[in-house]
Amino acid sequence: MSTLRWFSLFLFVCLTCTAAHAERRVALVIGNSAYKSVPRLSNPTNDATLVGGMFRKAGFDTVDVKLDLSVVDMRKALREFGTKAREADVAVIYYAGHGIELDGNNYLIPTDAALETDTDVFDEAFPLDRVLFAIEPAKQLRLVILDACRDNPFAKTMKRTVAARAIGRGLAKVEPTSPNTMIAFAAKAGSTASDGDSKNSPFAAALVERLPTPGLDLRKAFGFVRDDVLKNTGYKQEPYVYGSLGGDDVALIPAKPVATGPQANPQDSIRRDYELALQTGNRDAWEAFLQTYPDGFYAGLARAQLKNVAAEEARVAAAEKARQAEDVKARLAAERANQAEQEKAAAAARAAEEKRLAAERAKQAEEARAAAAEQRRKEAEAAAAKALADKQAAEKALAERLASDKAAAELAAKPAAEKQSSGSEQKVAAVSPSSTPPAMSPQEKAKLVQSELRRVGCLTASADGDWNASSQRSLALFNKYAGTKFDAKLASFDALDAIKAKPGRVCPLVCDHGFKADGDACVKIACRAGYRVNDDSECEKIPEKKPVATRDESKNRDEQRKQVESAPAKPQATTGQMFCNGAGCRPVRSGCKLVPSGSGLPSGDGRPRGVMEVCG
C-alpha cells in the first residue's frame, strides 16, 4: 500500500512538471507617458509597471517592461518579442499610451511622434496588425491588451491631406483573423477611456485584480474587469473584448493542482514560526510574525507577547529615567557649593560684555559723526571750487567780450578817420563798449536778457526778442531789487552778465488780490470762519451789522427837527446848554435836551449844527 502511494505521488509530480514545462508564457509590457509633442500622460508608466509586476507574480517565463519608447525602440522591442513568441504557448502584449484610429485602422503612437499631418501616421506610428504579427507564432493563446483609448490630442491638431479621410474618436472595432486570439480594449470602439484620479487607471487596476485568478477563464475574467470599470467610472467607460476562443476554459494563470494523499496540518508551520519568535523574544520578531499571520489563535498569542515586550520596554525606560534623575540630583548637589561663585563670575562677564558693547556703540557713533563732518567738508570744498571756477569763467568771458568790443570799435573808427583825411563825406560811428558783437543780432541779445529776467522772477512775459515797455519795466525792477543802475531802454551784455550772476529769484513774487506768495507760486488765501480778505490781502474780522432806521422813523425825526427849528424862541428856564439854528443861538429850554441830528450843516454863526433840541 505504501509503494502504491509513493508511485501515485511520483506520477502526479511528473505530470505537473510536464504541464508546467509545456506552457511557456511570455509577456511584453509597454507604457508611454513622456510624449514630446503633446502633454505628458500621468498613468501609462505606472500602469505598465503594475501590470508587469502582475505577470511576474503569475509565474511568466519572460516579462519585458518597456517605458517611454521612441519609434526606433518600439520597433526593436516588437521584433525581439516576436522571436520569444515563436517558442511560447502563451504570448501577451500590454500597451498603455496614446493610440489613434485612421480610416478604420488602429495605430499605437511612440513618444517621439509629431504627427503634423495625417500621412505622418504611416511613418511614425505602429499599426495594430504589426503587434498581432509579433504574437502570431504563439501556440495556444495570443492576447493583446490596449489601454490606449484616451482622448488623443494628435487627432485635434494634425492636418488632413485628404478631406474625406476620417480620424475617429478612440479606437476602431477589430476582428482578429488568427484563431485563439483576443484583443481587449479599455473602452468600447469609438469611445474614450479615463485615467482616473489615482495613480493607476481604472482599467489597469481591474486587470491586476481579476486576471491573476488561477484557473479563471479569460472570457469570464474580462467580464469581471468590465463590471469593475463600469462601477468605478459611474458607468461611463465600458471595456470590450474582440476575438473568440474555443470551448475549453483558457486561463491566463493555470489552476493549482489538487494535492492527493495525506496533507500536512497548516497549523504546524504556524506553530513552528511562533516558537521561533518566542525564542527570539523581541519586538521585531513578533511584528514579523503578525505580518505573516495576522489572524488566528497564534496571532492572538503573538499580540499578547508583543504587549508583554512593550511593558518590559516601558519598565526599562522608566528605570533608566529614574537612574538619570538620581545622577542629575547628585551632580547638582556637588555643583551647589560653587554655584554662587559661578553666578558671580557670570555677572562679571555680563557686565564686561555690556561695557564692551557700549564702547563699541560709542566708537561707531563717533566714526559716523567724523564721516559726516568729512563729507560736509568735501561738499563745501567742491562748492567753493565750483564757485571759483564759475567766477573765473565769467571773468574770462567778460574780458573776451571787452576785447571783442574794443576791437570792433577800433575797426569801425579806422575807416571814418581815413574818410575824414581824404575830404570825403564824414560819418561818425559811435560804438559803445556794451554794443552787440557782429555775430549776434539785437533781437537775439534781447531774447537772452529776457530769458534771464524770467529766471530771476522780474519778467512774466515770454522771451520773444522784442525789447518793449514790459521788458524795460522788468529790467528797472531788477535794478531796484539788485542795486544796479543799468539803462532799462537797452538790452546790454553788462546787464546780461549781472542777471546771470544771480543764482535765484531777485524780484519778489507779486500775487493778485486774494492770493499770497508761497515760494515761487501764488496760493489762494483761506481765512477762518468769521473773517474775510481785505483790500491788503489780509484776513480781517467781519464787522457786525448795525440796525438801520426805517423810512418812517427817519421821516418822523426830520419833521420833529423842523418843528423845533421853526418854533420861535420863548423865554423859559434854561439848562445852561446852548442851541443854535438859523435864527441864532440860545440856551436850551427846561425840559428839553440836545440830540444828534446828523445834518452836518453850519449854523448862522459858523458853528456846526450837528444837534437838535427835543422837548417833552
Side-chain angles (χ1 to χ4, degrees), residues 264-279 289 293 298:
N265 188 358
Q267 293 292 327
D268 293 342
S269 61
I270 300 177
R271 179 178 55 79
R272 285 193 298 271
D273 292 343
Y274 177 83
E275 292 175 352
L276 181 61
L278 186 62
Q279 293 176 4
F289 179 84
Y293 308 106
Y298 287 100

Side-chain angles (χ1 to χ4, degrees), residues 426-443:
Q426 297 181 358
K427 294 183 180 179
V428 179
V431 181
S432 64
S434 61
S435 60
T436 306
M440 183 177 294
S441 65
Q443 288 78 11

Side-chain angles (χ1 to χ4, degrees), residues 328-503:
V328 171
K329 182 178 179 180
R331 180 177 56 81
L332 291 177
E335 294 176 352
R336 191 174 293 112
N338 59 354
Q339 184 176 3
E341 288 77 4
Q342 292 178 357
E343 292 178 354
K344 184 177 180 181
R350 287 194 298 270
E353 180 64 17
E354 291 176 356
K355 290 182 180 180
R356 185 189 67 80
L357 293 176
E360 185 69 22
R361 288 193 293 269
K363 178 183 177 183
Q364 293 176 357
E366 291 298 331
E367 290 178 350
R369 284 195 289 270
E374 180 65 17
Q375 182 65 24
R376 289 194 297 271
R377 182 189 65 79
K378 291 181 180 179
E379 292 177 354
E381 291 179 353
K386 185 176 182 303
L388 180 60
D390 294 342
K391 182 179 179 181
Q392 291 176 352
E395 292 177 352
K396 182 178 179 181
L398 180 60
E400 291 177 354
R401 182 179 58 77
L402 292 176
S404 177
D405 292 347
K406 183 177 180 181
E410 292 176 354
L411 184 63
K414 184 175 180 181
E418 292 177 354
K419 290 181 180 180
Q420 184 178 5
S421 62
S422 61
S424 62
E425 183 179 359
Q426 297 181 358
K427 294 183 180 179
V428 179
V431 181
S432 64
S434 61
S435 60
T436 306
M440 183 177 294
S441 65
Q443 288 78 11
E444 293 176 344
K445 179 172 65 175
K447 190 172 183 179
L448 291 176
V449 176
Q450 288 172 340
S451 299
E452 291 300 319
L453 287 173
R454 282 177 57 85
R455 182 182 63 81
V456 298
C458 296
L459 178 63
T460 58
S462 60
D464 54 2
D466 183 12
W467 193 254
N468 49 24
S470 176
S471 301
Q472 294 174 12
R473 284 195 301 272
S474 65
L475 183 55
L477 284 174
F478 179 81
N479 289 333
K480 177 181 177 181
Y481 291 104
T484 57
K485 297 181 179 180
F486 298 110
D487 187 2
K489 296 181 180 181
L490 297 177
S492 61
F493 282 108
D494 293 337
L496 178 62
D497 294 338
I499 299 171
K500 284 184 176 180
K502 301 298 181 180

Side-chain angles (χ1 to χ4, degrees), residues 109-167:
I109 304 176
T111 57
D112 59 347
L115 304 186
E116 295 180 356
T117 62
D118 52 4
T119 56
D120 294 339
V121 175
F122 305 122
D123 300 325
E124 302 180 24
F126 288 89
L128 181 58
D129 291 341
R130 175 66 181 88
V131 178
L132 295 175
F133 182 78
I135 65 172
E136 190 175 6
K139 302 176 179 64
Q140 294 182 8
L141 175 64
R142 293 168 282 277
L143 175 61
V144 177
I145 305 174
L146 296 180
D147 194 357
C149 306
R150 294 169 174 82
D151 189 8
N152 197 332
F154 289 101
K156 301 177 182 178
T157 58
M158 68 170 53
K159 299 178 181 178
R160 292 172 171 79
T161 57
V162 178
R165 178 167 291 151
I167 300 176

Side-chain angles (χ1 to χ4, degrees), residues 78-297:
L78 290 173
R79 183 170 59 247
E80 293 176 352
F81 186 73
T83 302
K84 297 177 182 179
R86 294 189 185 97
E87 302 174 357
D89 297 284
V90 177
V92 182
I93 292 181
Y94 171 85
Y95 172 80
H98 275 311
I100 192 172
E101 179 262 318
L102 183 66
D103 283 343
N105 297 317
N106 298 318
Y107 296 86
L108 309 184
I109 304 176
T111 57
D112 59 347
L115 304 186
E116 295 180 356
T117 62
D118 52 4
T119 56
D120 294 339
V121 175
F122 305 122
D123 300 325
E124 302 180 24
F126 288 89
L128 181 58
D129 291 341
R130 175 66 181 88
V131 178
L132 295 175
F133 182 78
I135 65 172
E136 190 175 6
K139 302 176 179 64
Q140 294 182 8
L141 175 64
R142 293 168 282 277
L143 175 61
V144 177
I145 305 174
L146 296 180
D147 194 357
C149 306
R150 294 169 174 82
D151 189 8
N152 197 332
F154 289 101
K156 301 177 182 178
T157 58
M158 68 170 53
K159 299 178 181 178
R160 292 172 171 79
T161 57
V162 178
R165 178 167 291 151
I167 300 176
R169 185 170 180 263
L171 297 180
K173 179 180 178 181
V174 294
E175 289 296 341
T177 58
S178 301
N180 295 329
T181 301
M182 292 183 66
I183 302 175
F185 284 2
K188 185 186 295 186
S191 61
T192 57
S194 172
D195 277 338
D197 300 327
S198 61
K199 182 179 178 182
N200 298 106
S201 68
F203 183 63
L207 287 175
V208 174
E209 179 69 20
R210 297 297 183 177
L211 291 187
T213 304
L216 182 63
D217 183 65
L218 279 178
R219 288 160 289 198
K220 195 168 184 179
F222 278 109
F224 289 143
V225 170
R226 169 190 173 275
D227 296 341
D228 292 345
V229 174
L230 281 172
K231 181 179 178 181
N232 292 332
T233 60
Y235 295 90
K236 296 179 181 179
Q237 177 182 340
E238 180 183 5
Y240 216 81
V241 178
Y242 299 93
S244 62
L245 300 178
D248 297 333
D249 287 348
V250 179
L252 190 66
I253 310 299
K256 294 181 179 179
V258 179
T260 59
Q263 299 296 319
N265 188 358
Q267 293 292 327
D268 293 342
S269 61
I270 300 177
R271 179 178 55 79
R272 285 193 298 271
D273 292 343
Y274 177 83
E275 292 175 352
L276 181 61
L278 186 62
Q279 293 176 4
T280 306
N282 56 29
R283 176 182 292 274
D284 294 337
W286 291 119
E287 289 179 350
F289 179 84
L290 288 173
Q291 288 181 356
T292 307
Y293 308 106
D295 300 317
F297 172 73

Side-chain angles (χ1 to χ4, degrees), residues 6 16 20 24 44 81 172 204 212 257 309 312 358 414 465 488 566 588 606:
W6 279 109
T16 305
R24 177 175 175 79
F81 186 73
V309 171
E312 178 64 19
K414 184 175 180 181
S566 62
V588 177

